[in-house]
């Protein structure tokens, strides 16, 4: 198989969420001498971006997103140590969680996968994460970005509770806060005083990089 | 008030205290209950059900309601449209049922917030969901095609709570079967239909007085 054939096959298999084939192709690509970056940036990430676009258009639904996300996560497990070996520094550290009272996590997990794929180190606190737990994670991991995910109208107010807890702990200015989830809008993100919002996983990565660039430019001055 | 209720032709038989037959565009999960209530109360309602599976694609609900034609009552709660449904009907004179979702509507907001307060990892069932679980939940979430996704969907749940409208031994057995699929305990909370009935009555009174 040529390099292009392999990458296009890997793209196709990721798109349809064929986990076993994605693993096989990832291993084969590596043994054929393709770098982990090529596999990631020329096949896996574009495939997941296309999955997101199809979801937006209504061509894919949640199960298709899930199986594609899981297939890519499997490949990431293989690539992660290799990417670390190449000495490529992570571009930033993200702590992410679904807020207290909410157990929706499919959207959050996809955001995590895309963050990892983009070179971020991701620490996932899981679901039903209390404000105290977020605060403790900021103290322990010192992330660049803290992400809150919520899917219920009744759990969205936890964003504000989390922000208050950060402020009370004197940590609000230490971290960039991003929020997201099906009911969340830019207006709501503004109301709770978050630094960033994104409607989907690809946009979340773009936004995170932009916020990080801005913050680093400011701290350099 | 929308002129639709007076323009359309009645399909629901003899007259009642309601001047016309209000047209009700209803979520399929509520339509059966609404027909039962209407029959018992002698209301002549012209009920148009829409597919309940739209619950999983709430972004499509406003368009589906709009395409269903003029309505006097939109028998939906907000249902994950996050205000879009209200936006759609605000100039039409149509009114919708209160609440964020049908669980609110059937059990009351306080009960639902108690349920989640006591056990945040609660998965809610209604009679409709119990009856149609394999179609509206399993198939709709793709679990028939990808059964391996069950833990991804439901791995964080700690109990199943059945909000029972009109419990029967048959429904009880089915609810138990579903809870067993989750491998979780089942709590039954009897809600009846009184809140839905009161909410409908209120909308119909407003309609009549206009
Ligand atoms: C799948 C689903 C479920 C699954 C969740 C499985 C899981 N492990 O997550 C199951 C079936 C278990 C479920 C349960 C419930 N659900 Co539900 N669920 C949905 C559904 C259909 C899709 C959500 C989803 O996963 N989408 C797929 C993801 C990939 O897409 P996404 O949301 O766009 O995610 C992207 C963005 O939001 C963004 N993003 C997400 N997080 C973050 C974070 C950051 C920082 C950033 C930047 C971006 C970001 O990036 C993501 C990836 O692109 C929605 C309806 C809908 N279509 O939105 C209802 C919905 C969210 N659920 C709802 C409800 C009511 C419930 C239940 C209460 C129902 C019940 N019977 O008990 C329970 C919740 C109980 C609880 N304690 O939490 C309602 C909420 C209504 C409201 N007003 O609050 C909705 C809107 C359905 C409706 N029409 O009413 N649900």
């Amino acid at each position: 198989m040529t390099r292009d054939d392999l990458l296009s096959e890997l793209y196709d298999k990721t798109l349809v969420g064929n986990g076993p084939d994605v693993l096989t192709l990832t291993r084969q690509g590596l043994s054929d001498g393709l770098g982990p970056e090529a596999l990631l940036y020329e096949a896996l990430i574009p495939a997941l971006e296309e999955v997101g676009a199809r979801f937006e258009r209504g061509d894919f639904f949640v199960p298709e997103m899930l199986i594609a996300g899981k297939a890519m996560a499997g490949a990431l497990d293989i690539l992660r140590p290799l990417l670390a070996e190449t000495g490529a520094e992570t571009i930033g550290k993200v702590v992410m969680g679904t807020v207290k009272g909410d157990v929706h996590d499919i959207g959050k997990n996809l955001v995590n996968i895309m963050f990892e794929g983009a070179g971020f180190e991701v620490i996932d606190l899981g679901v039903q994460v209390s404000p105290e737990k977020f605060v403790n994670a900021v103290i322990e991991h010192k992330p660049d970005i803290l992400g809150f995910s919520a899917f219920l109208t009744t759990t969205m107010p936890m964003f504000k509770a989390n922000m208050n807890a950060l402020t009370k702990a004197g940590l609000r200015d230490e971290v960039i806060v991003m929020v997201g989830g099906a009911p969340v809008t830019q207006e709501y993100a503004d109301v709770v005083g978050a630094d960033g919002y994104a409607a989907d996983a690809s946009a979340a990565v773009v936004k995170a990089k932009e916020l990080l660039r801005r913050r680093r430019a400011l701290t350099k001055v | 008030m929308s002129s639709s209720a007076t323009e359309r032709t009645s399909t629901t038989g003899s007259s009642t205290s309601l001047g016309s037959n209000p047209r009700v565009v209803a979520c399929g999960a509520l339509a059966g209950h609404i027909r039962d209530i209407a029959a018992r109360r002698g209301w002549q309602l012209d009920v148009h059900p829409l597919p309940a599976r739209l619950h999983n694609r709430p972004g499509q609900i406003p368009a589906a309601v709009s395409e269903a034609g003029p309505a006097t009552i939109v028998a939906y709660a907000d249902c994950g449209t996050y205000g879009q449904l209200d936006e759609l009907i605000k100039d039409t004179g149509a009114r919708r049922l209160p609440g964020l979702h049908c669980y609110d509507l059937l059990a009351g907001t306080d009960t639902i917030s108690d349920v989640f307060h006591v056990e945040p990892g609660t998965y809610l069932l209604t009679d409709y969901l119990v009856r149609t679980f394999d179609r509206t939940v399993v198939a709709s979430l793709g679990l028939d095609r990808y059964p391996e996704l069950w833990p991804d969907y439901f791995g964080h749940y700690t109990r199943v709570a059945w909000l029972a409208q009109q419990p029967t031994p048959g429904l009880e057995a089915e609810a138990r079967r579903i809870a067993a699929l989750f491998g979780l305990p089942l709590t039954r909370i009897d809600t009846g239909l009184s809140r839905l009935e009161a909410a409908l009555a209120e909308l119909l009174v407003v309609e009549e007085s206009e």
Side-chain angles (χ1 to χ4, degrees):
Chain A
M1 212 186 284
T2 66
R3 177 185 195 275
D4 283 354
D5 285 347
L6 188 134
L7 289 173
S8 109
E9 186 82 357
L10 181 57
Y11 174 94
D12 289 345
K13 296 295 181 186
T14 310
L15 192 61
V16 297
N18 185 331
D21 282 4
V22 167
L23 288 185
T24 308
L25 286 161
T26 301
R27 289 201 186 97
Q28 192 185 326
L30 291 170
S31 67
D32 289 358
L34 267 99
E37 282 97 347
L39 297 169
L40 199 55
Y41 297 116
E42 292 176 50
L44 294 164
I45 291 181
L48 220 64
E49 281 173 347
E50 176 60 18
V51 170
R54 290 189 185 190
F55 183 72
E56 277 306 304
R57 290 201 301 270
D59 297 341
F60 273 10
F61 188 47
V62 183
E64 287 80 19
M65 298 263 305
L66 264 176
I67 56 163
K70 284 167 74 99
M72 168 143 168
L76 271 176
D77 286 343
I78 299 177
L79 299 181
R80 196 177 295 116
L82 301 173
L83 288 165
E85 264 171 33
T86 61
E89 276 206 21
T90 67
I91 60 173
K93 199 191 271 187
V94 181
V95 164
M96 178 78 87
T98 298
V99 300
K100 188 173 166 185
D102 207 324
V103 299
H104 288 88
D105 65 355
I106 296 170
K108 167 189 69 77
N109 295 346
L110 282 168
V111 174
N112 286 347
I113 291 170
M114 288 301 267
F115 268 144
E116 268 207 58
F120 285 91
E121 179 188 349
V122 178
I123 295 144
D124 183 7
L125 303 181
V127 299
Q128 287 218 60
V129 182
S130 64
E132 303 74 55
K133 203 165 165 195
F134 276 119
V135 165
N136 290 337
V138 172
I139 294 168
E140 184 186 342
H141 301 291
K142 300 189 175 37
D144 302 287
I145 294 173
L146 179 61
F148 306 143
S149 185
F151 279 77
L152 297 170
T153 313
T154 44
T155 57
M156 277 163 68
M158 287 313 296
F159 288 166
K160 189 69 199 161
N162 292 340
M163 299 298 279
N164 291 344
L166 280 179
T167 306
K168 208 167 144 209
L171 295 169
R172 175 62 191 98
D173 296 333
E174 304 298 309
V175 68
I176 296 169
V177 175
M178 291 186 70
V179 295
V184 185
T185 57
Q186 180 65 56
E187 293 80 68
Y188 195 78
D190 293 341
V191 168
V192 299
D195 302 305
Y197 155 80
D200 60 50
S202 305
V205 169
V206 174
K207 188 79 196 175
K209 285 183 176 168
E210 177 201 319
L211 290 168
L212 211 52
R213 239 190 336 265
R214 239 192 279 157
R215 162 151 317 202
R216 286 179 178 159
L218 276 178
T219 46
K220 260 187 207 145
V221 179
Chain B
M1 190 69 263
S2 157
S3 61
S4 62
T6 47
E7 275 169 12
R8 58 160 307 287
T9 315
S10 161
T11 55
T12 48
S14 64
S15 69
T16 69
S17 63
L18 298 170
S20 57
N21 291 0
R23 193 162 188 275
V24 182
V25 172
C27 169
L30 295 174
H33 290 315
I34 293 172
R35 285 201 179 103
D36 288 351
I37 293 168
R40 189 161 36 75
R41 296 282 297 253
W43 296 335
Q44 291 182 11
L45 301 180
D46 181 9
V47 181
H48 289 250
L50 294 179
R53 64 170 183 275
L54 289 173
H55 168 92
N56 281 335
R57 297 161 193 258
Q60 297 177 4
I61 292 175
V65 167
S66 166
E67 277 160 27
T72 307
I73 294 176
V74 172
Y76 273 90
D78 176 68
C79 195
T81 65
Y82 308 119
Q84 277 180 50
L85 200 49
D86 288 332
E87 194 58 32
L88 173 83
I89 64 177
K90 84 172 188 284
D91 299 323
T92 67
R95 288 185 177 77
R96 77 158 171 87
L97 293 167
L100 290 176
H101 32 60
C102 57
Y103 317 109
D104 260 2
L105 188 62
L106 295 166
T109 316
D110 291 348
T111 305
I112 296 301
S113 75
D114 282 354
V115 163
F116 285 121
H117 185 72
V118 172
E119 191 93 52
T122 301
Y123 188 73
L124 296 171
L125 296 171
T126 59
D127 289 6
Y128 180 84
L129 283 178
V130 169
R131 213 173 275 130
T132 62
F133 189 80
D134 290 341
R135 179 166 50 88
T136 47
V137 179
V138 174
S140 180
L141 294 176
L143 283 163
D144 50 349
R145 287 171 291 139
Y146 310 108
E148 71 277 15
L149 294 181
W150 186 279
D152 295 283
Y153 279 115
F154 299 119
H156 298 298
Y157 284 88
T158 48
R159 73 161 168 176
V160 176
W162 170 30
L163 307 174
Q165 286 72 61
Q166 295 167 310
T168 61
L171 279 178
E172 175 93 39
E174 191 56 15
R176 294 209 173 282
R177 178 188 74 89
I178 295 165
L181 288 176
F182 281 79
L184 293 174
L186 176 72
T187 307
R188 179 175 129 184
I189 301 165
D190 289 339
T191 72
L193 285 169
S194 59
R195 285 180 197 79
L196 176 59
E197 185 167 339
L200 279 171
E202 203 177 312
L203 296 184
L204 289 167
V205 167
V206 176
E207 138 84 358
E208 230 194 347
S209 66
E210 279 178 8

